[in-house]
Amino acid sequence: MRVTCPYCGERDRREFTIQGDDTSLRRPGRDAGAEAWHAHVHLRDNPAGRLREMWYHDPCGAWIVVERDTVTHAVHGSVPAREAAR
Amino acid sequence: MRYSGFRLIREGFRGNTGWTRAWRDPSPRPDYDAIIIGGGGHGLSTAYYLARNHGITNVAVLEKGYLGGGNVGRNTTIVRANYFLPGNSEFYSHSLKLWEGLERELNYNVMHSQRGHMILFHSDGQRDAAARRGNAMAAQGDDAILYDREGVRAMLPFLDYEQARFPIHGGLFHPRGGTARHDAVAWGYARGADRRGVDLIQNCEVTGIDIENGVVRGVQTTRGPIRARKVGIVVAGRSSQVAAMAGMRLPIESHVLQAFVTEGLKPVIDHVISFGMGHFYISQSDKGGLVFGGDLDFYASYAQRGNLPMVEHVMEAGMTLMPMIGRARVLRSWGGIMDMSPDGSPIIDRTHVEGLFLNCGWNYGGFKAVPASGWCMAHLMATGQPHEVAARYRLDRFATGRGLMDEEGTGAQHSLH
Ligand SMILES: Cc1cc2nc3c(=O)[nH]c(=O)nc-3n(C[C@H](O)[C@H](O)[C@H](O)COP(=O)(O)OP(=O)(O)OC[C@H]3O[C@@H](n4cnc5c(N)ncnc54)[C@H](O)[C@@H]3O)c2cc1C
Ligand SMILES: [Zn+2]
């Protein structure tokens, strides 16, 4: 797998640390209640297909959101996490 | 047909012409008492024990591919009962006891080999943790021996004892740990279930779960609808997709774990050896191949194959531990779809739908669990009550935070295991 960092260009997968799907961009409000927090921390769509994930590019220190197919490992683009969070 | 030494000799003289199919190939009937979705190790053992322990034989196992084509035929075959936390301890202890009688029980050679399992430690802190784990194992009634460096050297003289990065301080040995032939376990349970009347239906993918007023009625499949009073979801890496058919969102992420086998060699490695610091474990199959694996690739995947960085990492770890394997040639590598739960422990539980049961979250350790998982899943489906050794495998432990079983102590969250 090669992944394009929006800042640095296409790089080897070993330059990245992967956190998992992009739920961390949708953090519930402080008083959202236990059910919402449980869903946030534990429950996942876990699709067999396209998934948006949080990747960290170690050399430049950027968090990016990568869209990747979990069945083929094909990467379909990436954006800075800051933009994806808007 | 019963298998025996006598039969083997007789067939040898008759050119092996007398063997019959190990199980039937039935078409699905319209109606069953119970349906098991998934013909992996856990689905097949569940069906077997439904028939054997509870007399429920009007059962179908629905498998989308072929029996044993999933993780049960892809793992590194390690069987052990060296868990630490209450909940896991009693469950894996029960499983190992079932393993010990399995060949007789199934009249099938699953090649269970209790060659002993050694976990190495590399610091004083790890020694303390190993001693504590060993005591927990002994308290559960299983066996554990703490060896110092020289004790390990006497058993495993081929490890590199000079390396400075992870010096070998000793090991925790579990004599009853070992390996088994993974396919044979699936086949043995399949044959056993079939002989008790269970229909094993291959090339039959479940595409929907029929629910009326909160009660399960049956399933939709690629071979038509099938009614059932009880349905068990036992699909390992595909749990999220199948549970979604019943409107559930699970605490599961599916990840890829890779494994490797070398060309056949003369016997060199007599035990199972785990090198935690390198996430490396190895044993030698009866055919002579070195079977080894490492850690997850650490990204979600349904591809059943991984990427080269983890291949490189596993090879490095192997060379760090035992440089002697450096000239063995790797024949094959492959991957499986691991159903990872947040705390690393499994789920065997009811669901919000009456008659629908869930078995998942086996992470990278569900092969050794095959006998007990089926035993407990069958108990749950037949009686509606959790079996006592699986009573803590509840789905709601993540919502409540009560009863989490984080064996690694890294935190009950995805991406930490
Ligand atoms: C590389 C590797 C190494 C491992 N090493 C070990 C080890 O050393 N020791 C250990 O204890 N464990 C190990 N494991 C883990 C162990 O293999 C799994 O936890 C266990 O096999 C999972 O349960 P199963 O056998 O039922 O899964 P599977 O064999 O995957 O069975 C699930 C079945 O469900 C079927 N299915 C899915 N969706 C549907 C559908 N919609 N309709 C019908 N059928 C469906 C699939 O086709 C599959 O056959 C390892 C796993 C891997 C991949
Ligand atoms: Zn970058």
Side-chain angles (χ1 to χ4, degrees):
Chain A
M1 268 192 296
R2 288 177 72 81
V3 174
T4 303
C5 168
Y7 303 106
C8 313
E10 189 184 301
R11 295 302 181 98
D12 188 287
R13 174 248 177 283
R14 275 171 287 197
E15 290 188 7
F16 298 86
T17 306
I18 310 168
Q19 191 193 44
D21 90 348
D22 68 350
T23 34
S24 56
L25 297 178
R26 295 183 298 276
R27 202 176 158 85
R30 215 173 258 264
D31 36 38
E35 201 44 50
W37 275 101
H38 161 56
H40 176 68
V41 175
H42 301 122
L43 303 184
R44 296 290 180 264
D45 290 338
N46 195 25
R50 289 201 183 196
L51 172 68
R52 280 155 45 96
E53 295 174 310
M54 303 297 297
W55 288 54
Y56 181 79
H57 192 207
D58 300 333
C60 80
W63 277 106
I64 63 177
V65 176
V66 175
E67 187 167 332
R68 195 177 57 88
D69 192 309
T70 59
V71 178
T72 62
H73 293 168
V75 175
H76 297 285
S78 61
V79 290
R82 194 186 299 273
E83 275 173 33
R86 273 194 209 124
Chain B
M1 174 188 284
R2 243 196 95 74
Y3 297 151
S4 65
F6 172 71
R7 169 89 60 183
L8 200 65
I9 293 165
R10 204 174 67 166
E11 286 303 323
F13 282 115
R14 298 199 319 189
N16 289 306
T17 50
W19 300 111
T20 55
R21 288 186 72 113
W23 54 82
R24 298 165 296 132
D25 184 23
S27 294
R29 277 184 273 137
D31 201 341
Y32 289 95
D33 289 336
I35 282 176
I36 309 298
I37 310 174
H42 294 234
L44 293 167
S45 63
T46 299
Y48 177 78
Y49 291 118
L50 271 175
R52 180 213 187 260
N53 291 354
H54 305 282
I56 302 175
T57 55
N58 184 21
V59 175
V61 176
L62 308 182
E63 165 55 48
K64 79 178 164 108
Y66 60 94
L67 296 181
N71 292 336
V72 73
R74 293 167 178 269
N75 61 74
T76 43
T77 77
I78 302 171
V79 172
R80 55 187 166 86
N82 60 353
Y83 283 70
F84 176 62
L85 295 176
N88 283 330
S89 284
E90 60 264 35
F91 176 81
Y92 288 101
S93 182
H94 182 60
S95 206
L96 186 55
K97 288 175 197 136
L98 293 176
W99 276 105
E100 285 168 339
L102 197 58
E103 285 157 347
R104 203 166 279 255
E105 167 76 25
L106 296 177
N107 175 232
Y108 204 89
N109 184 6
V110 302
M111 296 165 74
H112 182 219
S113 154
Q114 293 182 293
R115 54 187 69 182
H117 176 258
M118 179 75 88
I119 309 179
L120 300 168
F121 51 79
H122 311 274
S123 66
D124 289 345
Q126 283 192 337
R127 181 199 309 274
D128 291 347
R132 190 167 173 229
R133 176 177 297 271
N135 286 335
M137 291 159 65
Q140 177 60 44
D142 296 317
D143 57 345
I145 306 169
L146 197 70
Y147 282 115
D148 63 7
R149 180 186 165 94
E150 291 317 309
V152 174
R153 194 200 292 268
M155 256 167 109
L156 310 172
F158 48 80
L159 302 184
D160 183 358
Y161 292 87
E162 308 308 322
Q163 55 136 323
R165 181 68 182 88
F166 298 117
I168 294 168
H169 284 210
L172 182 66
F173 189 58
H174 174 35
R176 283 164 65 225
T179 59
R181 168 86 198 274
H182 49 12
D183 304 306
V185 175
W187 298 333
Y189 273 116
R191 173 169 166 272
D194 175 87
R195 295 213 303 175
R196 288 170 190 266
V198 172
D199 282 358
L200 308 175
I201 300 164
Q202 308 185 58
N203 297 313
C204 181
E205 178 172 353
V206 171
T207 54
I209 297 178
D210 298 334
I211 298 162
E212 279 170 29
N213 304 321
V215 181
V216 78
R217 296 290 179 211
V219 297
Q220 299 291 322
T221 79
T222 49
R223 296 177 70 173
I226 308 175
R227 287 190 303 277
R229 276 158 291 288
K230 291 177 180 177
V231 175
I233 302 174
V234 196
V235 292
R238 296 274 172 181
S239 296
S240 297
Q241 281 75 44
V242 177
M245 296 170 195
M248 298 170 73
R249 209 165 161 244
L250 296 184
I252 297 289
E253 285 188 2
S254 295
H255 281 252
V256 54
L257 182 68
Q258 303 193 60
F260 309 86
V261 65
T262 70
E263 61 192 343
L265 303 169
K266 287 187 178 176
V268 279
I269 298 177
D270 299 334
H271 310 90
V272 182
I273 306 167
S274 286
F275 173 42
M277 297 316 290
H279 294 286
F280 177 83
Y281 38 88
I282 188 166
S283 65
Q284 186 167 17
S285 80
D286 290 355
K287 261 194 308 194
L290 304 180
V291 179
F292 56 97
D295 210 349
L296 297 176
D297 275 34
F298 275 105
Y299 47 82
S301 173
Y302 290 84
Q304 293 186 309
R305 62 182 161 77
N307 271 278
L308 290 173
M310 186 49 70
V311 176
E312 186 177 29
H313 176 83
V314 171
M315 301 300 159
E316 281 173 2
M319 287 300 287
T320 305
L321 181 67
M322 42 176 87
M324 73 163 183
I325 67 173
R327 297 183 58 191
R329 276 169 295 209
V330 174
L331 281 187
R332 277 178 288 128
S333 74
W334 63 92
I337 315 172
M338 320 305 324
D339 36 332
M340 304 299 295
S341 67
D343 64 354
S345 293
I347 295 158
I348 302 179
D349 206 350
R350 291 179 280 250
T351 67
H352 68 290
V353 178
E354 200 184 314
L356 182 66
F357 302 87
L358 179 67
N359 177 313
C360 67
W362 294 101
N363 296 270
Y364 21 63
F367 178 63
K368 68 180 87 67
V370 163
S373 170
W375 185 282
C376 296
M377 183 72 177
H379 185 278
L380 178 67
M381 289 184 69
T383 67
Q385 297 301 317
H387 189 276
E388 58 178 2
V389 302
R392 297 196 194 212
Y393 289 159
R394 294 180 56 157
L395 177 58
D396 71 358
R397 68 181 186 267
F398 303 101
T400 62
R402 202 182 310 118
L404 291 169
M405 281 165 289
D406 170 18
E407 193 82 20
E408 287 178 5
T410 48
Q413 277 185 42
H414 294 291
S415 80
L416 296 182
H417 295 270

